[in-house]
Amino acid sequence: MLNILSARFQQGFRTIKYPDAPPTIPDRLRGLPVIRNGICKNGCEECKNSCPTAAITCHEGIKIDLGRCIFCNSCVEACPTEALRFSNDHRLSVSNRADAIADSKGIKLAAQLEEKMRLLFGRSLNFRQVSAGGCNGCEVDINVLTTVVFDLSRFGIKIVASPRHADGIIITGPVTENMKLALMKTYEAVPSPKLVIAVGACAISGGIFRDHPEQHNGASDILPVDLFIPGCPPHPVTILDGLLRLIGKI
Ligand code: SF4
């Protein structure tokens, strides 16, 4: 017991201070894109043609659908004038699907729940996580939020085993045909009112699997989604940021 205590004292406090202090974000994190239409070569469309998920449109300025984007950087490498780059701004969560379309002004970040729902879930929010055909990338970054470094439970947010004990579901993966029924049954088993969070490009739009016949292009076509967290996978701080915005802690 003494060894454990001395190890704890040596390690010190491990939980990040976010949101009371800015998070430590690795420089290599690809976050909110920076779009400079002023130096974009008109009609070039190299970025659009290089995109594996058709996330880019070039009509009236470059727009990137972060709900489709897998942050692969191909567009940045393809652009002859460096009109595109990714900042390491981790704040990417949005409340509406259309708000995930980034342009030169950025995106409209997620808003907090309306009063009634915030009074219900603002201090205690339990989620059932459903991996609807995910590759485990997003699942791992959700799971890490429950560790001592991020300590999700300090905000009253928990991942629970049963949908009966949950206030909502966190969906990852493009919603494969095999998982659709299980997802719908899990959603129906959660007592109302309930929340739905779509984490990652796959759960938002199908991501790299979009339009494949064995999946459903993510959750937003089959369930009412309250929060979209782009990324492939999103950084844990991006997920945490989105959840805290939802309950009005940011
Ligand atoms: S980083 Fe996103 S927008 Fe750019 S090519 Fe990759 S998927 Fe497309």
Side-chain angles (χ1 to χ4, degrees), residues 10-236:
Q10 274 160 25
Q11 289 176 8
F13 193 67
R14 286 301 177 117
T15 305
I16 60 171
K17 292 189 175 45
Y18 190 74
D20 301 332
T24 313
I25 298 282
D27 294 341
R28 67 180 183 285
L29 176 87
R30 294 186 189 129
L32 191 66
V34 177
I35 300 169
R36 296 181 292 169
N37 289 317
I39 57 171
C40 172
K41 212 166 82 189
N42 247 342
C44 157
E45 298 201 346
E46 288 291 338
C47 56
K48 181 181 171 187
N49 301 336
S50 72
C51 180
T53 59
I56 300 178
T57 55
C58 298
H59 176 61
E60 290 168 3
I62 303 169
K63 294 183 182 68
I64 300 182
D65 179 356
L66 299 184
R68 288 191 184 200
C69 180
I70 59 170
F71 299 80
C72 66
N73 214 43
S74 304
C75 50
V76 174
E77 288 154 15
C79 178
T81 60
E82 296 182 1
L84 270 181
R85 71 176 174 82
F86 283 95
S87 70
N88 77 344
D89 183 342
H90 63 282
R91 301 167 296 172
L92 299 173
S93 303
V94 296
S95 301
N96 306 305
R97 181 67 184 87
D99 295 342
I101 313 285
D103 59 16
S104 55
K105 297 190 223 48
I107 55 171
K108 185 179 167 215
L109 287 172
Q112 63 186 14
L113 290 167
E114 44 92 11
E115 184 73 17
K116 183 170 156 271
M117 292 290 269
R118 204 154 41 74
L119 288 175
L120 264 177
F121 299 133
R123 298 161 60 96
S124 167
L125 185 52
N126 295 345
F127 286 109
R128 178 61 171 91
Q129 207 279 301
V130 180
S131 175
C135 71
N136 214 25
C138 294
E139 291 84 346
V140 165
D141 278 352
I142 293 167
N143 187 35
V144 83
L145 291 177
T146 62
T147 64
V148 66
V149 175
F150 298 96
D151 187 11
L152 194 56
S153 59
R154 67 192 154 124
F155 305 107
I157 305 174
K158 291 193 187 71
I159 308 290
V160 294
S162 166
R164 303 274 183 219
H165 306 157
D167 307 305
I169 54 176
I170 297 181
I171 304 170
T172 53
V175 188
T176 53
E177 182 52 28
N178 292 349
M179 272 301 292
K180 186 182 177 192
L181 181 59
L183 173 63
M184 296 312 288
K185 283 190 171 183
T186 306
Y187 176 74
E188 278 141 28
V190 176
S192 291
K194 57 187 112 180
L195 298 170
V196 177
I197 318 279
V199 172
C202 293
I204 297 173
S205 68
I208 205 83
F209 306 103
R210 188 171 178 79
D211 297 334
H212 187 283
E214 283 304 319
Q215 54 84 55
H216 294 271
N217 288 349
S220 22
D221 292 352
I222 51 177
L223 287 174
V225 177
D226 301 284
L227 183 69
F228 300 87
I229 306 180
C232 188
H235 189 278

